[in-house]
Amino acid sequence: MSVSSLLAAALLQTAAPAPDLSWLAGYWLDCSGGREASETWSDPRAGLIVGHSVTVRNGRSGFESARIAPMKDGGLAYFAQPDGAPATPFRLIDSGPQRAVFANPDNDFPHRIIYERPDGPLGEILTARIEGADDDENRSVQWRFNRAELNARCPL
């Protein structure tokens, strides 16, 4: 095999660059539906984005730790850890400017996690949606977050 053939083969095996998910970074607050939900996402650092959420409803709170990171077998995944549970991976299956879709059809619920910035990269809105079948019934939950100051709270 010639040197140019080896070089061409090596270039073809080079992994595609990771999508730019920097638009997730920030502190986001949703005060709808009788709940207070906040999500905080770091900027990407060496392929890692770290996030956490806190939800307060009816005097009770819950949390989720999350990260978006490379999978061992390639590609990116959203690793969800609700209430400190072991991480469940959701593989990135679609992405574009200000949109990312993660899926794990083997998970009980949800099967898909979708993040979007519907008003563009400079906008003040982040939407999150989880969807899938739960006890053989399709359902979804959606959040509409507004950019907020770190640790801002919903008005009483």
Side-chain angles (χ1 to χ4, degrees), residues 21-32 35 37-42 49 51-53 68 78 97-100 102 113-129 142-148:
L21 299 179
S22 62
W23 49 267
L24 273 172
Y27 180 78
W28 304 93
L29 186 63
D30 178 355
C31 298
S32 64
R35 69 178 173 228
S38 64
E39 287 201 6
T40 308
W41 287 99
S42 73
I49 301 171
H52 72 274
S53 66
I68 299 171
Y78 180 108
Q98 291 78 54
R99 178 178 163 80
F102 303 90
I113 302 169
I114 304 159
Y115 279 94
E116 292 183 283
R117 291 283 299 276
D119 56 350
L122 301 177
E124 299 296 310
I125 297 171
L126 174 70
T127 62
R129 179 180 170 93
Q142 184 160 323
W143 295 263
R144 185 179 186 275
F145 296 102
N146 292 294
R147 184 177 295 283

Side-chain angles (χ1 to χ4, degrees), residues 85-108:
T88 300
F90 291 79
R91 183 177 292 278
L92 179 68
I93 61 166
D94 186 30
S95 67
Q98 291 78 54
R99 178 178 163 80
V101 180
F102 303 90
N104 181 339
D106 297 327
N107 191 49
D108 52 359

